[in-house]
Each structure stands twice: as C-alpha cells, then as structure tokens.
Amino acid sequence: MASGKETSSSRAHPHRRPLHVERFINQFLDAACDESRRAILELLVPPAGQNSPDGYELPAGEIAQQLGLARSTTSEHLHHLLNLHLVAARKEGTVIYYRLRNHHLVQAFHELLRALETHYHTLSSPLEPSRTTEG
C-alpha cells in the first residue's frame, strides 16, 4: 500500500520532463508573456483560408507599423523570437521577412488565448478587486 505522502520533489515536478525541454517551455512562456512578442506571434498567424502557413510572412517594417512599435523595438523582439526558434527570417534585398517557424505550436498557443478570453469574459476580471459600495 502506497503512503499518502508526497515528497517536495514529486510536488514540484509531477510530470518529469528533460531539463532542456523544461528550459524551452519556460523560455516560450516568458516570450509569450511579453505583450509585444505575443502580438507579433499573433500577427504572423496566417489568415483563415491561407493555403500554407510556410508561405505567410510579413516584412519587419510592416510588423512594426501594424503594432505601432518603433522599428528598433520590433527588431529586438523579432531577434528574441528568432533565438527561441519561434520565427524564421528571410532577407530579400534590404527587407527582412518573418514567418512562424512552428505554426502548430503557435496555433495551439492562440487556441489557449481564445479559451482564456472566453473563460474570463464570463467572469469578473481576475485582476480587478470586487466592487463595493462607497459610503
């Protein structure tokens, strides 16, 4: 009969993954928690009906313009996403085009965002304190 006791190690890591996989997951979530990087990833999701996700790309200048970010700031975010292998780049003349490198991973992330939107749309905002009457 197994004891009902859990060790602190089993609570901390109930589903052991290789350390390098944990590191990549943490890096992805860190990148996705940055509002600008998340917006870039969302912007690079091909529109509905696009035949191939590999064929959908945007130039860096258009990404910056659509997000209202400075080109230098956009470049820093894109460089970070490149280092995480979430986007791929292609240079044509002086223009650099970006596309999602792992469309399925980013698509799954966007499905999570939609589920969170639906969940929190039906509840009060978790970040707002409950409203009380002022007296």
Side-chain angles (χ1 to χ4, degrees):
M1 183 186 244
S3 74
K5 296 180 181 178
E6 292 183 31
T7 65
S8 62
S9 175
S10 67
R11 280 192 309 265
H13 299 286
H15 304 288
R16 283 255 190 236
R17 293 181 185 93
L19 187 57
H20 72 283
V21 172
E22 285 289 336
R23 187 171 42 249
F24 286 128
I25 291 170
N26 290 339
Q27 289 172 339
F28 172 82
L29 292 173
D30 180 56
C33 285
D34 180 277
E35 189 174 340
S36 296
R37 284 183 231 142
R38 187 171 61 244
I40 290 170
L41 292 173
E42 289 185 84
L43 191 59
L44 291 174
V45 172
Q50 178 79 24
N51 290 340
S52 168
D54 292 334
Y56 186 73
E57 59 187 13
L58 293 173
E62 185 176 331
I63 293 169
Q65 182 181 17
Q66 286 194 36
L67 298 179
L69 297 173
R71 285 181 183 251
S72 60
T73 302
T74 303
S75 178
E76 287 177 28
H77 288 305
L78 287 166
H79 184 72
H80 187 78
L81 294 171
L82 274 168
N83 286 339
L84 293 175
H85 307 287
L86 294 174
V87 298
R90 165 182 83 79
K91 191 170 185 176
E92 188 174 297
T94 60
V95 179
I96 301 175
Y97 292 87
Y98 292 89
R99 66 175 172 82
L100 295 177
R101 187 166 182 174
N102 186 327
H103 178 74
H104 297 290
L105 174 64
V106 177
Q107 191 63 40
F109 177 68
H110 290 284
E111 288 174 19
L112 172 63
L113 292 178
R114 283 191 294 274
L116 288 168
E117 286 173 10
T118 301
H119 176 72
Y120 286 115
H121 181 70
T122 61
L123 302 173
S124 297
S125 172
L127 299 179
E128 291 179 13
S130 298
R131 296 184 186 252
T132 58
T133 57
E134 293 181 25

